[in-house]
Amino acid sequence: MEMYIVLAITLFMMVMFIWNKVPFGVTTMTCCLLLAMFGIVDIPKAFGGFGNKIVVLIAPMLVLSAALGKTSLVMKISNVLNAVKGKRGMLLILAFYAVGMVMAQFIPTTAAISILVIFLLTLDNTGEITPKRLLLPLLGVMCGCKFRFPVGLGATTFATLNGMYEGIIGDHPEYMISMLDPFKIAIIPMVVLTIYCLFAWKLMPNEQGINQDALKKTSMERQLTDAQEMIVYGVFVAVMLLMLLNKYTGNMLYLAPAAGVLVLIYTKVVSVPEAVKGLTADMTWMLAGVLIVADALGSTGAGDMIGNAILSILGENPSSVTVMFVFSFATVIMTTFLSNMATQSVLIPIAASVALAAGWDPRGLVLIIGTCNYYALGFPSGSGEAAVCFAAGGYNPLKVMKFTFPYMILAAISTALSAQILFPLY
């Protein structure tokens, strides 16, 4: 009976994620409450996700990333674009793409796009290279690079993915993802998609006009003093080093961000209310709840039931590459219409259950989903940044499909092949 209750609660969670009418954290906390009410887990276990080392890592990292966003980093990056004003051709496109790649690692992509459009608007509306023709390809490059490098929030991607399925894999620590795994699997797709966007912008309709009213207003004003900025940069570098050198620093991988936040609070760079706001963000609540639901899936056998059901659909002994392609294309299609986090949260427990039911290594499938869920380019509902781009560019999804459809195909294929090379199922 417990297994069917867990399946029902998991289905409720997935439906609520897809519906997206309440914050994800509210949904997962509801699931934790239901698990406790039905006696599937006891009360300390139901809300024990907040003490999980993965949440301890990610919550303060959100605060550090917000602090970095208050520095003049964006203004310094903008100077690079100012330096190429008046340039044309490939140099200009490369400059925009390079800056977009950097900004995608440190600040929310929606804000980064809004800032970059300010510089796109300095281009003429005549000729081949126009703001409207570059805006969506620029987002394509940023989607391909978003949180891929092990810096900033990208350094916590591995922990987020682990948190969504560690309860399902049970006593298989060899199946846990390491910090550099998301970066390694993304190298081939990043190269493929960047090269595509360098040339395929010509597939965009040569129309004029960007709607500035549709852009999110993002401040580029300086908010910290020189001394405060130096503290933020120093703390950020120290935290990144402690995390990257986890082979030698051990548990500091998980404790370093919290220590960094405390330094910023004591030095008055970040106020206590600002820190609390970051620590209690919806992502923190969501992840703390997903950890418990994943544990329940694993401990009651519900995960095995889901895995065996999907395996029966895939058929007997499907090839590794076939399964990779199935989940890669499924993720790209889902994230085109649903939010990145909803797509990831729904598919990862399913993929892990399928892999374990078949006796496969689940890392490749989990990494495929954690990579492909950012390729939200084909429709405005896919992500906040996609909504901004489609609104600002006034794009008709059908008219830009000549660019977006090949992009999504290349994204799915390159990611699946990368996973097959680095993390085959068997």
Side-chain angles (χ1 to χ4, degrees), residues 110-126:
T110 305
I113 278 289
S114 299
I115 292 168
L116 287 169
V117 169
I118 296 173
F119 297 96
L120 277 175
L121 288 171
T122 63
L123 301 178
D124 294 331
N125 270 320
T126 58

Side-chain angles (χ1 to χ4, degrees), residues 5 28 77 89 120 124 131 133 154 172 175 229-230 245 257-258 267 272 278 292 307 321 383 387 397 426:
I5 293 174
T28 57
I77 292 174
L120 277 175
D124 294 331
R133 294 188 88 181
H172 291 283
Y175 291 155
E229 284 202 5
M230 291 306 297
L245 298 174
T267 55
V272 172
I292 305 305
V321 70
S383 65
Y426 48 80

Side-chain angles (χ1 to χ4, degrees), residues 179 241-253:
M179 182 186 287
L241 285 174
L242 287 170
M243 293 177 68
L244 288 169
L245 298 174
N246 62 88
K247 181 179 179 180
Y248 308 101
T249 57
N251 283 334
M252 284 305 295
L253 164 66

Side-chain angles (χ1 to χ4, degrees), residues 125-176:
N125 270 320
T126 58
E128 286 288 305
I129 304 177
T130 63
K132 196 165 180 176
R133 294 188 88 181
L134 278 191
L135 178 56
L136 201 57
L138 175 60
L139 177 61
V141 172
M142 296 175 73
C143 288
C145 300
K146 184 178 180 180
F147 301 148
R148 307 301 193 207
F149 295 85
V151 293
L153 285 176
T156 66
T157 298
F158 82 103
T160 303
L161 298 179
N162 282 335
M164 291 182 176
Y165 81 109
E166 70 170 0
I168 297 173
I169 62 175
D171 299 325
H172 291 283
E174 70 274 16
Y175 291 155
M176 298 295 281

Side-chain angles (χ1 to χ4, degrees), residues 92-117:
L92 178 68
I93 297 171
L94 280 170
F96 272 107
Y97 288 0
V99 170
M101 288 179 183
V102 173
M103 294 182 76
Q105 310 310 315
F106 298 105
I107 64 176
T109 311
T110 305
I113 278 289
S114 299
I115 292 168
L116 287 169
V117 169

